[in-house]
Amino acid sequence: MRHFLGPIAAPVTYSRWLHLLIPGAVVSVWLFISMDTPWVPFVLAVPAGLLPVFRLAEGVQAQLLLTPAERGRPDASISAAPAATWAERWRTVAWLQVRLLLATAAGFATVWLPATTYDLVCAATGAATDMDWVTGLFPSRWLYWPVAPLPLLVLLGLIVLCGEVATAAARGLLGPSPAERLTALEERTEQLLERNRIARELHDSIGHALTVAVVQAGAARTAGDPDFTARALAAIEETGRNALDDLERVLGVLRESGPAASRRPTLVEADRLLESARGSGAKIDVAMTGPLKLVPGPVSREGYRILQESLTNVLRHAGAVPVRVRLAVVGERLELEVTNPLGGSPHGRGGGSGLRGIRERAALLGGEAVTGPYEGEWRVHVSLPMDHIR
């Protein structure tokens, strides 16, 4: 019973009923004009379906009434776009033929089955009726009462069936083409990649700022030196200001239709990170080799975030310890290495989402990242190719 009543109670059943009745009204009007030529609407549907815009109109209407839950979704099973090929035009013609057949059946059922129920009720009450076969159907008029609702139940079942058939036909004949499916898949992939990139941006930028602020605040609290406290507060202020700039930039990417990669910091601005780490008490030894300004934008931007995450991990897990930073442009590769004393560092190759983010950034550029203990120290070594980015 629940399996039968579920579709009847579903709102989509009645939106599909409306979808069936729209062309049914056209067929009824034509039959009123010329009862002898019921085939004319089917013939006129052929040139109409060959118009590219007609597929768009049918797709929009089918999405709205047949599959309202999918309306506006990029992965909708019914396409809402003009016909781009002759194959899509002929499929639109076939869809119109199926729709007219279903509409004719649903239209007649919508008119005659309720009328049959009315006549059965008239026969049960002794009222006059135009359907002679009804009056002689049962020997007693009381037997008409249990039969009277049956045509309405048949109508609802027929509407559910016609709606399911129409939906299946629309998905098969108005569904997206392979090219449209590929485009939708590429769009979803781009959205997922962009979300992951934004998540990494927030993790690296805000995580670095909070780590520096926590380290500076803890050191100022225990130092008992007004000058040191003043310097720590200044470092926290500067780090917080930079973090707000990064946050505003990432939020700007979310508001806009496309990413604004050109505004992301690059390795040319690495001094900002190094000074921030020094302000937290870390002793930074830096060696830069090669023209960093010539590093391609994507490599330089990802390299900046990798360096930021590496320094954040040092401050978070090892505190104010000596850190060696090596940046080198060697041939067509960018080599980046950050090392610090092993004590307190996150052990294991998979320790933490930050290390995973470093490896993901390197992999996206076709490079490689090695993180973990090395000769008594904790080392992050990243090698990024530049030749295929230019």
Side-chain angles (χ1 to χ4, degrees):
M1 180 63 70
R2 183 180 303 176
H3 182 74
F4 176 75
L5 295 179
I8 293 179
V12 69
T13 297
Y14 300 95
S15 66
R16 290 174 177 176
W17 194 352
L18 176 61
H19 184 270
L20 292 168
L21 291 180
I22 292 174
V26 176
V27 173
S28 299
V29 170
W30 179 258
L31 291 178
F32 180 78
I33 296 173
S34 176
M35 184 69 71
D36 298 331
T37 56
W39 44 266
V40 170
F42 294 87
V43 173
L44 294 179
V46 175
L50 293 176
L51 297 175
V53 71
F54 219 83
R55 184 178 181 85
L56 170 62
E58 288 295 312
V60 171
Q61 190 179 133
Q63 277 192 7
L64 180 63
L65 298 176
L66 295 181
T67 58
E70 299 180 1
R71 184 186 178 193
R73 285 170 41 182
D75 59 342
S77 59
I78 299 175
S79 175
T85 64
W86 279 101
E88 291 181 350
R89 297 184 186 189
W90 284 112
R91 283 200 296 270
T92 305
V93 171
W95 156 249
L96 291 176
Q97 302 300 319
V98 172
R99 188 180 180 188
L100 285 172
L101 284 173
L102 292 173
T104 301
F108 276 108
T110 300
V111 173
W112 291 108
L113 289 176
T116 302
T117 293
Y118 172 78
D119 288 317
L120 289 171
V121 172
C122 289
T125 58
T129 177
D130 296 332
M131 300 180 68
D132 296 333
W133 68 274
V134 170
T135 56
L137 190 61
F138 298 108
S140 174
R141 67 179 187 176
W142 298 107
L143 296 177
Y144 285 90
W145 286 112
V147 179
L150 290 181
L152 296 181
L153 295 177
V154 173
L155 172 62
L156 292 175
L158 184 63
I159 293 303
V160 170
L161 177 61
C162 288
E164 292 291 342
V165 173
T167 303
R171 285 172 171 159
L173 298 173
L174 297 180
S177 64
E180 290 175 326
R181 291 192 183 96
L182 180 60
T183 300
L185 179 61
E186 290 175 347
E187 289 178 355
R188 291 197 299 274
T189 303
E190 287 295 328
Q191 290 174 357
L192 290 175
L193 289 175
E194 184 65 11
R195 289 177 183 176
N196 289 333
R197 187 184 71 80
I198 290 173
R200 288 196 302 267
E201 291 284 305
L202 288 174
H203 174 273
D204 294 349
S205 178
I206 307 304
H208 174 78
L210 290 176
T211 299
V212 170
V214 169
V215 172
Q216 291 278 14
R221 181 174 56 83
T222 59
D225 184 351
D227 293 336
F228 182 85
T229 300
R231 291 195 300 272
L233 290 175
I236 292 174
E237 179 185 6
E238 179 65 21
T239 303
R241 186 179 295 111
N242 292 333
L244 286 175
D245 292 340
D246 285 343
L247 180 60
E248 182 61 29
R249 176 184 51 76
V250 173
L251 292 178
V253 172
L254 291 174
R255 297 189 195 103
E256 296 171 1
S257 58
S262 61
R263 296 201 296 268
R264 294 167 56 197
T266 65
L267 284 174
V268 177
E269 306 167 65
D271 288 342
R272 188 178 88 177
L273 288 178
L274 300 174
E275 289 304 319
S276 176
R278 288 191 180 102
S280 299
K283 301 174 180 60
I284 309 294
D285 177 26
V286 183
M288 296 185 181
T289 306
L292 291 180
K293 291 183 179 180
L294 299 182
V295 176
V299 177
S300 188
R301 289 188 290 269
E302 296 303 320
Y304 179 95
R305 289 306 185 195
I306 290 172
L307 176 59
Q308 183 180 54
E309 179 59 29
S310 300
L311 293 175
T312 300
N313 283 340
V314 173
L315 294 174
R316 181 181 299 150
H317 299 287
V321 298
V323 182
R324 292 195 309 275
V325 177
R326 300 291 182 262
L327 283 169
V329 177
V330 182
E332 294 296 333
R333 300 188 75 85
L334 172 68
E335 304 290 337
L336 188 156
E337 184 175 275
V338 178
T339 58
N340 63 276
L342 187 58
S345 294
H347 296 283
R349 290 179 61 86
S353 60
L355 297 181
R356 183 171 63 251
I358 289 175
R359 291 191 288 269
E360 288 176 353
R361 288 181 184 275
L364 284 174
L365 293 174
E368 58 182 9
V370 179
T371 62
Y374 180 76
E375 295 183 353
E377 296 181 311
W378 182 267
R379 183 181 72 157
V380 174
H381 181 85
V382 178
S383 179
L384 303 176
M386 300 187 299
D387 52 340
H388 69 284
I389 304 294
R390 299 185 187 277

